[in-house]
Amino acid sequence: MSFAVTILGSSSAKPTPDRHPSAQAVNIHEQYYLVDAGEGVQQQLIRYGINPLKLRAAFISHLHGDHVYGLFPLISTLGLYGRRTPLEVYAPAPFGEILECHLRYFDTELPYEVVWHEVRTTEHALLYENRTLEVWSIPLRHRVPCAGFLFREKEPPLNVDKFKIVKYGLSIAQITAAKRGEAVRLDDGTLLENGELTYRPYAPRSYAYLSDTNYSAKAAGLCRGVDLMYHEATYAAAEQRAARDRGHATTVDAAKAALRAGARRLVIGHYSSRYRDEAPLVEEARTLFAESYAAREGTTFTIEKRP
């Protein structure tokens, strides 16, 4: 089953000719989630082959324009496409007031409902879940209330070892009991512990999105063991003071966060417009965290299953 992140935008606030503002599409088991929505996000979805109608929910880290301005045209376009199912939007207050104004003046007859859920940016809380997924908020340190998001698969169902089915002559009822995590008693009275019969098909996968923020050891710690981490790196390491004063991170800050989290891979983005080439920024991050990569638009990072 798929678990992948497609970069739709990688720029910070000032426009550039070849980068869009922050936006990503997260595909988990062919269910799509939008993470931040900078200007032009609907065109970027189409450009990279993602049907906007497939979006289940949108997660907005904070209410700076380069992270949210693209959501309102997308809401309108989904209406033109004939969407009927509700769109869940998770965002900090006062997003509800902004949404209300948009709906009042621009989408008075929208054929579907936009449902806002407040993200409390000082809390590490479960925001969303379904049968296979949980999404948690991660408090960040920016100039305005801001939260990151941790996407985490739930434990996959147990599989029963086919060899053990044959070895012990297990019935359908016994196999079903084993899949529920129960011990199984054979016809001769032997009790088999569940671990003798079952195995997890793969370890749950995870993705952390740490948007605009100063370095936060606490935020990194909440992402312990994450498979893939996105961390903003607006500035090169030499601009540490500017990053600190403006509520942003450097390449080295991002690498430190990945190290603290024990992440398997790091993606950096939200580049300042002063940097035309992101390659030196990635190389700088790699001096501390080797598995660092650039958030280039159109790039998809796939998280493969592992035992």
Side-chain angles (χ1 to χ4, degrees), residues 42 52-53 55-58 70-89 99 102-103 107-115:
Q42 57 182 334
L53 285 173
L55 293 174
R56 300 289 295 267
L71 183 61
F72 304 103
L74 175 62
I75 287 171
S76 296
T77 300
L78 290 175
L80 294 176
Y81 283 177
R83 184 184 181 104
R84 293 294 184 269
T85 57
L87 178 67
E88 312 287 333
V89 179
L99 176 64
H102 172 80
L103 296 177
D107 280 317
T108 56
E109 297 181 0
L110 204 64
Y112 68 96
E113 186 179 7
V114 182
V115 182

PDB file of all heavy atoms in Angstrom, residues 42 52-53 55-58 70-89 99 102-103 107-115:
ATOM      1  N   GLN A  42      -3.731  24.528  -6.755  1.00  0.00           N
ATOM      2  CA  GLN A  42      -4.601  23.700  -7.591  1.00  0.00           C
ATOM      3  C   GLN A  42      -3.940  23.396  -8.938  1.00  0.00           C
ATOM      4  O   GLN A  42      -4.041  22.270  -9.452  1.00  0.00           O
ATOM      5  CB  GLN A  42      -5.961  24.350  -7.773  1.00  0.00           C
ATOM      6  CG  GLN A  42      -5.952  25.747  -8.362  1.00  0.00           C
ATOM      7  CD  GLN A  42      -7.358  26.319  -8.447  1.00  0.00           C
ATOM      8  OE1 GLN A  42      -8.340  25.590  -8.533  1.00  0.00           O
ATOM      9  NE2 GLN A  42      -7.464  27.638  -8.415  1.00  0.00           N
ATOM     10  N   PRO A  52      -7.589  16.796  -7.791  1.00  0.00           N
ATOM     11  CA  PRO A  52      -8.009  17.516  -6.583  1.00  0.00           C
ATOM     12  C   PRO A  52      -9.232  16.922  -5.906  1.00  0.00           C
ATOM     13  O   PRO A  52      -9.403  17.066  -4.690  1.00  0.00           O
ATOM     14  CB  PRO A  52      -8.298  18.936  -7.090  1.00  0.00           C
ATOM     15  CG  PRO A  52      -7.466  19.075  -8.322  1.00  0.00           C
ATOM     16  CD  PRO A  52      -7.470  17.709  -8.945  1.00  0.00           C
ATOM     17  N   LEU A  53     -10.086  16.231  -6.675  1.00  0.00           N
ATOM     18  CA  LEU A  53     -11.273  15.623  -6.081  1.00  0.00           C
ATOM     19  C   LEU A  53     -10.930  14.482  -5.126  1.00  0.00           C
ATOM     20  O   LEU A  53     -11.748  14.070  -4.317  1.00  0.00           O
ATOM     21  CB  LEU A  53     -12.208  15.113  -7.174  1.00  0.00           C
ATOM     22  CG  LEU A  53     -13.019  16.179  -7.925  1.00  0.00           C
ATOM     23  CD1 LEU A  53     -13.771  15.552  -9.084  1.00  0.00           C
ATOM     24  CD2 LEU A  53     -13.984  16.899  -6.985  1.00  0.00           C
ATOM     25  N   LEU A  55      -8.770  14.650  -2.751  1.00  0.00           N
ATOM     26  CA  LEU A  55      -8.319  15.153  -1.453  1.00  0.00           C
ATOM     27  C   LEU A  55      -9.346  14.830  -0.380  1.00  0.00           C
ATOM     28  O   LEU A  55     -10.524  15.186  -0.495  1.00  0.00           O
ATOM     29  CB  LEU A  55      -8.094  16.665  -1.512  1.00  0.00           C
ATOM     30  CG  LEU A  55      -6.947  17.145  -2.397  1.00  0.00           C
ATOM     31  CD1 LEU A  55      -6.950  18.664  -2.477  1.00  0.00           C
ATOM     32  CD2 LEU A  55      -5.610  16.633  -1.878  1.00  0.00           C
ATOM     33  N   ARG A  56      -8.884  14.184   0.685  1.00  0.00           N
ATOM     34  CA  ARG A  56      -9.761  13.863   1.808  1.00  0.00           C
ATOM     35  C   ARG A  56      -9.806  14.999   2.829  1.00  0.00           C
ATOM     36  O   ARG A  56     -10.827  15.232   3.475  1.00  0.00           O
ATOM     37  CB  ARG A  56      -9.278  12.574   2.496  1.00  0.00           C
ATOM     38  CG  ARG A  56      -9.263  11.356   1.599  1.00  0.00           C
ATOM     39  CD  ARG A  56     -10.670  10.890   1.269  1.00  0.00           C
ATOM     40  NE  ARG A  56     -11.370  10.425   2.442  1.00  0.00           N
ATOM     41  CZ  ARG A  56     -11.406   9.163   2.853  1.00  0.00           C
ATOM     42  NH1 ARG A  56     -10.750   8.241   2.170  1.00  0.00           N
ATOM     43  NH2 ARG A  56     -12.083   8.808   3.920  1.00  0.00           N
ATOM     44  N   ALA A  57      -8.664  15.668   3.028  1.00  0.00           N
ATOM     45  CA  ALA A  57      -8.574  16.719   4.039  1.00  0.00           C
ATOM     46  C   ALA A  57      -7.393  17.619   3.716  1.00  0.00           C
ATOM     47  O   ALA A  57      -6.484  17.238   2.968  1.00  0.00           O
ATOM     48  CB  ALA A  57      -8.408  16.120   5.438  1.00  0.00           C
ATOM     49  N   ALA A  58      -7.416  18.822   4.286  1.00  0.00           N
ATOM     50  CA  ALA A  58      -6.304  19.764   4.156  1.00  0.00           C
ATOM     51  C   ALA A  58      -5.820  20.134   5.550  1.00  0.00           C
ATOM     52  O   ALA A  58      -6.631  20.368   6.460  1.00  0.00           O
ATOM     53  CB  ALA A  58      -6.733  21.007   3.394  1.00  0.00           C
ATOM     54  N   GLY A  70      -3.639  29.708  -1.361  1.00  0.00           N
ATOM     55  CA  GLY A  70      -4.096  28.847  -2.458  1.00  0.00           C
ATOM     56  C   GLY A  70      -5.302  27.998  -2.127  1.00  0.00           C
ATOM     57  O   GLY A  70      -5.899  27.392  -3.031  1.00  0.00           O
ATOM     58  N   LEU A  71      -5.692  27.943  -0.846  1.00  0.00           N
ATOM     59  CA  LEU A  71      -6.792  27.065  -0.463  1.00  0.00           C
ATOM     60  C   LEU A  71      -8.130  27.564  -0.983  1.00  0.00           C
ATOM     61  O   LEU A  71      -8.989  26.775  -1.388  1.00  0.00           O
ATOM     62  CB  LEU A  71      -6.839  26.934   1.065  1.00  0.00           C
ATOM     63  CG  LEU A  71      -7.904  25.993   1.626  1.00  0.00           C
ATOM     64  CD1 LEU A  71      -7.699  24.564   1.123  1.00  0.00           C
ATOM     65  CD2 LEU A  71      -7.901  26.016   3.156  1.00  0.00           C
ATOM     66  N   PHE A  72      -8.328  28.875  -1.012  1.00  0.00           N
ATOM     67  CA  PHE A  72      -9.653  29.419  -1.348  1.00  0.00           C
ATOM     68  C   PHE A  72     -10.002  29.247  -2.826  1.00  0.00           C
ATOM     69  O   PHE A  72     -11.129  28.841  -3.152  1.00  0.00           O
ATOM     70  CB  PHE A  72      -9.732  30.870  -0.880  1.00  0.00           C
ATOM     71  CG  PHE A  72      -9.435  30.990   0.588  1.00  0.00           C
ATOM     72  CD1 PHE A  72      -8.207  31.445   1.033  1.00  0.00           C
ATOM     73  CD2 PHE A  72     -10.365  30.571   1.532  1.00  0.00           C
ATOM     74  CE1 PHE A  72      -7.914  31.512   2.390  1.00  0.00           C
ATOM     75  CE2 PHE A  72     -10.082  30.628   2.890  1.00  0.00           C
ATOM     76  CZ  PHE A  72      -8.850  31.097   3.315  1.00  0.00           C
ATOM     77  N   PRO A  73      -9.087  29.476  -3.776  1.00  0.00           N
ATOM     78  CA  PRO A  73      -9.398  29.111  -5.164  1.00  0.00           C
ATOM     79  C   PRO A  73      -9.649  27.621  -5.330  1.00  0.00           C
ATOM     80  O   PRO A  73     -10.504  27.216  -6.131  1.00  0.00           O
ATOM     81  CB  PRO A  73      -8.149  29.555  -5.929  1.00  0.00           C
ATOM     82  CG  PRO A  73      -7.481  30.551  -5.068  1.00  0.00           C
ATOM     83  CD  PRO A  73      -7.790  30.171  -3.662  1.00  0.00           C
ATOM     84  N   LEU A  74      -8.911  26.801  -4.576  1.00  0.00           N
ATOM     85  CA  LEU A  74      -9.120  25.349  -4.652  1.00  0.00           C
ATOM     86  C   LEU A  74     -10.522  24.986  -4.189  1.00  0.00           C
ATOM     87  O   LEU A  74     -11.197  24.139  -4.808  1.00  0.00           O
ATOM     88  CB  LEU A  74      -8.071  24.633  -3.805  1.00  0.00           C
ATOM     89  CG  LEU A  74      -8.221  23.113  -3.685  1.00  0.00           C
ATOM     90  CD1 LEU A  74      -8.106  22.441  -5.041  1.00  0.00           C
ATOM     91  CD2 LEU A  74      -7.180  22.547  -2.716  1.00  0.00           C
ATOM     92  N   ILE A  75     -10.991  25.604  -3.108  1.00  0.00           N
ATOM     93  CA  ILE A  75     -12.349  25.356  -2.618  1.00  0.00           C
ATOM     94  C   ILE A  75     -13.377  25.672  -3.705  1.00  0.00           C
ATOM     95  O   ILE A  75     -14.314  24.897  -3.960  1.00  0.00           O
ATOM     96  CB  ILE A  75     -12.621  26.190  -1.352  1.00  0.00           C
ATOM     97  CG1 ILE A  75     -11.851  25.597  -0.151  1.00  0.00           C
ATOM     98  CG2 ILE A  75     -14.118  26.258  -1.043  1.00  0.00           C
ATOM     99  CD1 ILE A  75     -11.875  26.467   1.088  1.00  0.00           C
ATOM    100  N   SER A  76     -13.175  26.794  -4.397  1.00  0.00           N
ATOM    101  CA  SER A  76     -14.093  27.170  -5.476  1.00  0.00           C
ATOM    102  C   SER A  76     -14.047  26.175  -6.623  1.00  0.00           C
ATOM    103  O   SER A  76     -15.085  25.755  -7.148  1.00  0.00           O
ATOM    104  CB  SER A  76     -13.745  28.571  -5.993  1.00  0.00           C
ATOM    105  OG  SER A  76     -13.938  29.546  -4.997  1.00  0.00           O
ATOM    106  N   THR A  77     -12.845  25.782  -7.021  1.00  0.00           N
ATOM    107  CA  THR A  77     -12.696  24.864  -8.144  1.00  0.00           C
ATOM    108  C   THR A  77     -13.306  23.497  -7.847  1.00  0.00           C
ATOM    109  O   THR A  77     -13.926  22.878  -8.724  1.00  0.00           O
ATOM    110  CB  THR A  77     -11.211  24.712  -8.514  1.00  0.00           C
ATOM    111  OG1 THR A  77     -10.695  25.991  -8.877  1.00  0.00           O
ATOM    112  CG2 THR A  77     -11.026  23.748  -9.676  1.00  0.00           C
ATOM    113  N   LEU A  78     -13.165  23.030  -6.622  1.00  0.00           N
ATOM    114  CA  LEU A  78     -13.782  21.750  -6.259  1.00  0.00           C
ATOM    115  C   LEU A  78     -15.292  21.810  -6.431  1.00  0.00           C
ATOM    116  O   LEU A  78     -15.924  20.817  -6.787  1.00  0.00           O
ATOM    117  CB  LEU A  78     -13.413  21.383  -4.818  1.00  0.00           C
ATOM    118  CG  LEU A  78     -11.949  20.997  -4.578  1.00  0.00           C
ATOM    119  CD1 LEU A  78     -11.698  20.783  -3.087  1.00  0.00           C
ATOM    120  CD2 LEU A  78     -11.579  19.754  -5.367  1.00  0.00           C
ATOM    121  N   GLY A  79     -15.866  22.972  -6.184  1.00  0.00           N
ATOM    122  CA  GLY A  79     -17.293  23.144  -6.437  1.00  0.00           C
ATOM    123  C   GLY A  79     -17.615  23.044  -7.918  1.00  0.00           C
ATOM    124  O   GLY A  79     -18.596  22.408  -8.319  1.00  0.00           O
ATOM    125  N   LEU A  80     -16.769  23.653  -8.768  1.00  0.00           N
ATOM    126  CA  LEU A  80     -16.966  23.568 -10.213  1.00  0.00           C
ATOM    127  C   LEU A  80     -16.816  22.131 -10.708  1.00  0.00           C
ATOM    128  O   LEU A  80     -17.467  21.721 -11.670  1.00  0.00           O
ATOM    129  CB  LEU A  80     -15.951  24.459 -10.933  1.00  0.00           C
ATOM    130  CG  LEU A  80     -16.085  25.973 -10.699  1.00  0.00           C
ATOM    131  CD1 LEU A  80     -14.956  26.713 -11.396  1.00  0.00           C
ATOM    132  CD2 LEU A  80     -17.441  26.479 -11.179  1.00  0.00           C
ATOM    133  N   TYR A  81     -15.962  21.359 -10.057  1.00  0.00           N
ATOM    134  CA  TYR A  81     -15.765  19.953 -10.415  1.00  0.00           C
ATOM    135  C   TYR A  81     -16.927  19.073  -9.963  1.00  0.00           C
ATOM    136  O   TYR A  81     -17.002  17.911 -10.339  1.00  0.00           O
ATOM    137  CB  TYR A  81     -14.485  19.414  -9.774  1.00  0.00           C
ATOM    138  CG  TYR A  81     -13.196  19.820 -10.439  1.00  0.00           C
ATOM    139  CD1 TYR A  81     -11.970  19.431  -9.895  1.00  0.00           C
ATOM    140  CD2 TYR A  81     -13.177  20.590 -11.602  1.00  0.00           C
ATOM    141  CE1 TYR A  81     -10.770  19.793 -10.491  1.00  0.00           C
ATOM    142  CE2 TYR A  81     -11.989  20.951 -12.196  1.00  0.00           C
ATOM    143  CZ  TYR A  81     -10.784  20.554 -11.644  1.00  0.00           C
ATOM    144  OH  TYR A  81      -9.597  20.906 -12.232  1.00  0.00           O
ATOM    145  N   GLY A  82     -17.803  19.629  -9.123  1.00  0.00           N
ATOM    146  CA  GLY A  82     -18.959  18.862  -8.674  1.00  0.00           C
ATOM    147  C   GLY A  82     -18.730  18.033  -7.433  1.00  0.00           C
ATOM    148  O   GLY A  82     -19.437  17.044  -7.210  1.00  0.00           O
ATOM    149  N   ARG A  83     -17.780  18.439  -6.617  1.00  0.00           N
ATOM    150  CA  ARG A  83     -17.554  17.689  -5.375  1.00  0.00           C
ATOM    151  C   ARG A  83     -18.830  17.690  -4.540  1.00  0.00           C
ATOM    152  O   ARG A  83     -19.523  18.707  -4.435  1.00  0.00           O
ATOM    153  CB  ARG A  83     -16.390  18.317  -4.591  1.00  0.00           C
ATOM    154  CG  ARG A  83     -16.035  17.527  -3.320  1.00  0.00           C
ATOM    155  CD  ARG A  83     -14.951  18.247  -2.519  1.00  0.00           C
ATOM    156  NE  ARG A  83     -14.587  17.507  -1.330  1.00  0.00           N
ATOM    157  CZ  ARG A  83     -13.481  16.799  -1.182  1.00  0.00           C
ATOM    158  NH1 ARG A  83     -12.613  16.736  -2.182  1.00  0.00           N
ATOM    159  NH2 ARG A  83     -13.232  16.156  -0.065  1.00  0.00           N
ATOM    160  N   ARG A  84     -19.099  16.563  -3.888  1.00  0.00           N
ATOM    161  CA  ARG A  84     -20.261  16.459  -3.014  1.00  0.00           C
ATOM    162  C   ARG A  84     -19.882  16.075  -1.586  1.00  0.00           C
ATOM    163  O   ARG A  84     -20.612  16.359  -0.647  1.00  0.00           O
ATOM    164  CB  ARG A  84     -21.256  15.419  -3.574  1.00  0.00           C
ATOM    165  CG  ARG A  84     -21.910  15.834  -4.882  1.00  0.00           C
ATOM    166  CD  ARG A  84     -22.808  17.041  -4.713  1.00  0.00           C
ATOM    167  NE  ARG A  84     -23.516  17.404  -5.949  1.00  0.00           N
ATOM    168  CZ  ARG A  84     -23.052  18.262  -6.837  1.00  0.00           C
ATOM    169  NH1 ARG A  84     -21.870  18.830  -6.636  1.00  0.00           N
ATOM    170  NH2 ARG A  84     -23.738  18.553  -7.934  1.00  0.00           N
ATOM    171  N   THR A  85     -18.745  15.421  -1.434  1.00  0.00           N
ATOM    172  CA  THR A  85     -18.332  15.000  -0.087  1.00  0.00           C
ATOM    173  C   THR A  85     -17.676  16.164   0.648  1.00  0.00           C
ATOM    174  O   THR A  85     -17.001  17.004   0.028  1.00  0.00           O
ATOM    175  CB  THR A  85     -17.348  13.826  -0.161  1.00  0.00           C
ATOM    176  OG1 THR A  85     -16.221  14.209  -0.952  1.00  0.00           O
ATOM    177  CG2 THR A  85     -18.014  12.616  -0.770  1.00  0.00           C
ATOM    178  N   PRO A  86     -17.839  16.260   1.961  1.00  0.00           N
ATOM    179  CA  PRO A  86     -17.245  17.369   2.720  1.00  0.00           C
ATOM    180  C   PRO A  86     -15.719  17.393   2.599  1.00  0.00           C
ATOM    181  O   PRO A  86     -15.077  16.351   2.437  1.00  0.00           O
ATOM    182  CB  PRO A  86     -17.675  17.079   4.164  1.00  0.00           C
ATOM    183  CG  PRO A  86     -18.886  16.207   4.038  1.00  0.00           C
ATOM    184  CD  PRO A  86     -18.661  15.378   2.812  1.00  0.00           C
ATOM    185  N   LEU A  87     -15.147  18.583   2.662  1.00  0.00           N
ATOM    186  CA  LEU A  87     -13.703  18.755   2.742  1.00  0.00           C
ATOM    187  C   LEU A  87     -13.369  19.184   4.163  1.00  0.00           C
ATOM    188  O   LEU A  87     -13.815  20.231   4.626  1.00  0.00           O
ATOM    189  CB  LEU A  87     -13.217  19.819   1.759  1.00  0.00           C
ATOM    190  CG  LEU A  87     -11.713  20.117   1.808  1.00  0.00           C
ATOM    191  CD1 LEU A  87     -10.915  18.906   1.323  1.00  0.00           C
ATOM    192  CD2 LEU A  87     -11.368  21.355   0.980  1.00  0.00           C
ATOM    193  N   GLU A  88     -12.606  18.354   4.852  1.00  0.00           N
ATOM    194  CA  GLU A  88     -12.191  18.663   6.223  1.00  0.00           C
ATOM    195  C   GLU A  88     -10.930  19.529   6.163  1.00  0.00           C
ATOM    196  O   GLU A  88      -9.970  19.191   5.473  1.00  0.00           O
ATOM    197  CB  GLU A  88     -11.885  17.376   6.996  1.00  0.00           C
ATOM    198  CG  GLU A  88     -12.941  16.288   6.885  1.00  0.00           C
ATOM    199  CD  GLU A  88     -14.194  16.604   7.668  1.00  0.00           C
ATOM    200  OE1 GLU A  88     -14.088  17.339   8.669  1.00  0.00           O
ATOM    201  OE2 GLU A  88     -15.265  16.104   7.285  1.00  0.00           O
ATOM    202  N   VAL A  89     -10.957  20.651   6.875  1.00  0.00           N
ATOM    203  CA  VAL A  89      -9.790  21.539   6.925  1.00  0.00           C
ATOM    204  C   VAL A  89      -9.361  21.700   8.368  1.00  0.00           C
ATOM    205  O   VAL A  89     -10.158  22.106   9.225  1.00  0.00           O
ATOM    206  CB  VAL A  89     -10.096  22.921   6.306  1.00  0.00           C
ATOM    207  CG1 VAL A  89      -8.865  23.825   6.403  1.00  0.00           C
ATOM    208  CG2 VAL A  89     -10.534  22.779   4.854  1.00  0.00           C
ATOM    209  N   LEU A  99     -12.658  31.718   6.535  1.00  0.00           N
ATOM    210  CA  LEU A  99     -13.458  30.828   5.695  1.00  0.00           C
ATOM    211  C   LEU A  99     -14.885  31.344   5.564  1.00  0.00           C
ATOM    212  O   LEU A  99     -15.468  31.328   4.474  1.00  0.00           O
ATOM    213  CB  LEU A  99     -13.458  29.416   6.291  1.00  0.00           C
ATOM    214  CG  LEU A  99     -14.330  28.387   5.581  1.00  0.00           C
ATOM    215  CD1 LEU A  99     -13.830  28.138   4.161  1.00  0.00           C
ATOM    216  CD2 LEU A  99     -14.352  27.070   6.385  1.00  0.00           C
ATOM    217  N   HIS A 102     -15.016  34.079   3.013  1.00  0.00           N
ATOM    218  CA  HIS A 102     -14.892  33.548   1.657  1.00  0.00           C
ATOM    219  C   HIS A 102     -16.200  32.934   1.181  1.00  0.00           C
ATOM    220  O   HIS A 102     -16.652  33.213   0.059  1.00  0.00           O
ATOM    221  CB  HIS A 102     -13.778  32.500   1.604  1.00  0.00           C
ATOM    222  CG  HIS A 102     -13.725  31.781   0.288  1.00  0.00           C
ATOM    223  ND1 HIS A 102     -13.134  32.317  -0.832  1.00  0.00           N
ATOM    224  CD2 HIS A 102     -14.234  30.571  -0.098  1.00  0.00           C
ATOM    225  CE1 HIS A 102     -13.267  31.479  -1.840  1.00  0.00           C
ATOM    226  NE2 HIS A 102     -13.929  30.406  -1.421  1.00  0.00           N
ATOM    227  N   LEU A 103     -16.799  32.115   2.019  1.00  0.00           N
ATOM    228  CA  LEU A 103     -18.049  31.465   1.631  1.00  0.00           C
ATOM    229  C   LEU A 103     -19.176  32.475   1.447  1.00  0.00           C
ATOM    230  O   LEU A 103     -20.044  32.308   0.582  1.00  0.00           O
ATOM    231  CB  LEU A 103     -18.443  30.421   2.686  1.00  0.00           C
ATOM    232  CG  LEU A 103     -17.476  29.238   2.849  1.00  0.00           C
ATOM    233  CD1 LEU A 103     -17.950  28.317   3.965  1.00  0.00           C
ATOM    234  CD2 LEU A 103     -17.315  28.467   1.549  1.00  0.00           C
ATOM    235  N   ASP A 107     -18.410  31.890  -2.533  1.00  0.00           N
ATOM    236  CA  ASP A 107     -18.955  30.545  -2.749  1.00  0.00           C
ATOM    237  C   ASP A 107     -20.253  30.376  -1.975  1.00  0.00           C
ATOM    238  O   ASP A 107     -20.381  29.522  -1.102  1.00  0.00           O
ATOM    239  CB  ASP A 107     -17.929  29.480  -2.324  1.00  0.00           C
ATOM    240  CG  ASP A 107     -16.871  29.250  -3.376  1.00  0.00           C
ATOM    241  OD1 ASP A 107     -17.225  29.174  -4.570  1.00  0.00           O
ATOM    242  OD2 ASP A 107     -15.681  29.161  -3.020  1.00  0.00           O
ATOM    243  N   THR A 108     -21.225  31.191  -2.336  1.00  0.00           N
ATOM    244  CA  THR A 108     -22.497  31.195  -1.600  1.00  0.00           C
ATOM    245  C   THR A 108     -23.316  29.939  -1.865  1.00  0.00           C
ATOM    246  O   THR A 108     -24.199  29.608  -1.069  1.00  0.00           O
ATOM    247  CB  THR A 108     -23.328  32.430  -1.985  1.00  0.00           C
ATOM    248  OG1 THR A 108     -23.506  32.446  -3.410  1.00  0.00           O
ATOM    249  CG2 THR A 108     -22.621  33.707  -1.554  1.00  0.00           C
ATOM    250  N   GLU A 109     -23.066  29.253  -2.983  1.00  0.00           N
ATOM    251  CA  GLU A 109     -23.843  28.059  -3.321  1.00  0.00           C
ATOM    252  C   GLU A 109     -22.921  26.867  -3.555  1.00  0.00           C
ATOM    253  O   GLU A 109     -23.121  26.074  -4.480  1.00  0.00           O
ATOM    254  CB  GLU A 109     -24.708  28.325  -4.551  1.00  0.00           C
ATOM    255  CG  GLU A 109     -25.746  29.423  -4.321  1.00  0.00           C
ATOM    256  CD  GLU A 109     -26.610  29.667  -5.543  1.00  0.00           C
ATOM    257  OE1 GLU A 109     -26.401  28.973  -6.564  1.00  0.00           O
ATOM    258  OE2 GLU A 109     -27.494  30.536  -5.479  1.00  0.00           O
ATOM    259  N   LEU A 110     -21.947  26.717  -2.710  1.00  0.00           N
ATOM    260  CA  LEU A 110     -21.009  25.608  -2.831  1.00  0.00           C
ATOM    261  C   LEU A 110     -21.766  24.280  -2.685  1.00  0.00           C
ATOM    262  O   LEU A 110     -22.549  24.125  -1.743  1.00  0.00           O
ATOM    263  CB  LEU A 110     -19.944  25.732  -1.745  1.00  0.00           C
ATOM    264  CG  LEU A 110     -18.595  25.061  -1.982  1.00  0.00           C
ATOM    265  CD1 LEU A 110     -17.891  25.698  -3.181  1.00  0.00           C
ATOM    266  CD2 LEU A 110     -17.726  25.191  -0.736  1.00  0.00           C
ATOM    267  N   PRO A 111     -21.542  23.307  -3.580  1.00  0.00           N
ATOM    268  CA  PRO A 111     -22.321  22.052  -3.533  1.00  0.00           C
ATOM    269  C   PRO A 111     -21.814  21.038  -2.515  1.00  0.00           C
ATOM    270  O   PRO A 111     -22.287  19.901  -2.489  1.00  0.00           O
ATOM    271  CB  PRO A 111     -22.180  21.505  -4.959  1.00  0.00           C
ATOM    272  CG  PRO A 111     -20.854  21.999  -5.416  1.00  0.00           C
ATOM    273  CD  PRO A 111     -20.693  23.360  -4.792  1.00  0.00           C
ATOM    274  N   TYR A 112     -20.849  21.405  -1.716  1.00  0.00           N
ATOM    275  CA  TYR A 112     -20.339  20.515  -0.669  1.00  0.00           C
ATOM    276  C   TYR A 112     -19.998  21.375   0.545  1.00  0.00           C
ATOM    277  O   TYR A 112     -19.944  22.601   0.474  1.00  0.00           O
ATOM    278  CB  TYR A 112     -19.109  19.736  -1.158  1.00  0.00           C
ATOM    279  CG  TYR A 112     -17.887  20.600  -1.382  1.00  0.00           C
ATOM    280  CD1 TYR A 112     -16.912  20.727  -0.397  1.00  0.00           C
ATOM    281  CD2 TYR A 112     -17.700  21.303  -2.572  1.00  0.00           C
ATOM    282  CE1 TYR A 112     -15.802  21.533  -0.586  1.00  0.00           C
ATOM    283  CE2 TYR A 112     -16.594  22.102  -2.768  1.00  0.00           C
ATOM    284  CZ  TYR A 112     -15.648  22.215  -1.767  1.00  0.00           C
ATOM    285  OH  TYR A 112     -14.551  23.014  -1.952  1.00  0.00           O
ATOM    286  N   GLU A 113     -19.755  20.720   1.649  1.00  0.00           N
ATOM    287  CA  GLU A 113     -19.480  21.421   2.900  1.00  0.00           C
ATOM    288  C   GLU A 113     -17.975  21.471   3.171  1.00  0.00           C
ATOM    289  O   GLU A 113     -17.264  20.493   2.954  1.00  0.00           O
ATOM    290  CB  GLU A 113     -20.181  20.705   4.065  1.00  0.00           C
ATOM    291  CG  GLU A 113     -20.081  21.438   5.391  1.00  0.00           C
ATOM    292  CD  GLU A 113     -20.811  20.720   6.515  1.00  0.00           C
ATOM    293  OE1 GLU A 113     -21.275  19.581   6.283  1.00  0.00           O
ATOM    294  OE2 GLU A 113     -20.899  21.285   7.624  1.00  0.00           O
ATOM    295  N   VAL A 114     -17.511  22.638   3.611  1.00  0.00           N
ATOM    296  CA  VAL A 114     -16.136  22.779   4.100  1.00  0.00           C
ATOM    297  C   VAL A 114     -16.209  22.811   5.625  1.00  0.00           C
ATOM    298  O   VAL A 114     -16.840  23.701   6.207  1.00  0.00           O
ATOM    299  CB  VAL A 114     -15.467  24.055   3.571  1.00  0.00           C
ATOM    300  CG1 VAL A 114     -14.014  24.134   4.066  1.00  0.00           C
ATOM    301  CG2 VAL A 114     -15.504  24.089   2.046  1.00  0.00           C
ATOM    302  N   VAL A 115     -15.589  21.833   6.266  1.00  0.00           N
ATOM    303  CA  VAL A 115     -15.692  21.674   7.719  1.00  0.00           C
ATOM    304  C   VAL A 115     -14.347  22.041   8.345  1.00  0.00           C
ATOM    305  O   VAL A 115     -13.331  21.374   8.097  1.00  0.00           O
ATOM    306  CB  VAL A 115     -16.072  20.233   8.099  1.00  0.00           C
ATOM    307  CG1 VAL A 115     -16.223  20.108   9.609  1.00  0.00           C
ATOM    308  CG2 VAL A 115     -17.350  19.815   7.384  1.00  0.00           C
TER     309      VAL A 115
END
